[in-house]
Amino acid sequence: VMQTKNTEKVSNGDLGFIRYIKETEKGKRIGLDFGENRQMEYSVEDLANLSLAYATTIHKAMGSEYDIVLMPLLKAHYVMLCRNLLYTGIVIRQIIWSRFRQFIWMCSQVQIAYWSG
């Protein structure tokens, strides 16, 4: 899971694991481990500050300063493929590209596409 709001021990963008869910007299409690001796216990209401983290945006990955970010460049997402996004991914540290042809095509896309959805 990813923390989406700063607290005393956990910052926005920190990743953690759900370790347990238990029922107490105060209601359900969820045990989380954010590493570096940061074990937290959240109430159901505190879950509003978490989101699933099986995938994240390149900007959140940049803020988390990961050593490696996998950035799949798929033709199915051609609307979003542009140099600005690629630059954001490169400054992270290291990127493994899934397809070289999409990478070359992405470099040629200067404009930023805006859409409402």
Side-chain angles (χ1 to χ4, degrees), residues 22-29 44:
K22 67 181 178 181
E23 189 71 45
T24 68
E25 58 276 352
K26 296 179 183 178
K28 285 194 176 168
R29 306 295 294 173
V44 173

Side-chain angles (χ1 to χ4, degrees), residues 1-116:
V1 292
M2 179 183 288
Q3 180 77 16
T4 58
K5 184 177 179 184
N6 289 331
T7 65
E8 288 183 31
K9 290 187 176 182
V10 186
S11 300
N12 182 15
D14 285 351
L15 296 178
F17 297 94
I18 296 174
R19 294 294 182 201
Y20 62 85
I21 300 172
K22 67 181 178 181
E23 189 71 45
T24 68
E25 58 276 352
K26 296 179 183 178
K28 285 194 176 168
R29 306 295 294 173
I30 298 91
L32 300 159
D33 184 354
F34 288 97
E36 302 172 1
N37 293 320
R38 294 181 303 158
Q39 285 80 31
M40 308 286 290
E41 191 170 275
Y42 282 19
S43 67
V44 173
E45 293 80 23
D46 295 328
L47 294 180
N49 298 328
L50 296 176
S51 67
L52 293 176
Y54 52 85
T56 188
T57 66
I58 194 68
H59 295 92
K60 284 185 181 178
M62 185 178 184
S64 296
E65 298 180 353
Y66 297 125
D67 291 331
I68 296 174
V69 173
L70 298 179
M71 188 174 166
L73 305 176
L74 305 174
K75 203 168 187 176
H77 305 285
Y78 74 93
V79 174
M80 297 185 302
L81 299 180
C82 63
R83 265 192 282 194
N84 299 17
L85 185 64
L86 180 63
Y87 175 78
T88 302
I90 287 175
V91 299
I92 289 174
R93 291 191 190 174
Q94 180 180 354
I95 294 180
I96 300 171
W97 291 283
S98 62
R99 295 188 181 157
F100 190 70
R101 192 181 321 181
Q102 276 80 12
F103 166 70
I104 297 300
W105 183 83
M106 189 176 181
C107 289
S108 70
Q109 303 304 306
V110 178
Q111 75 279 0
I112 298 176
Y114 292 97
W115 67 93
S116 61

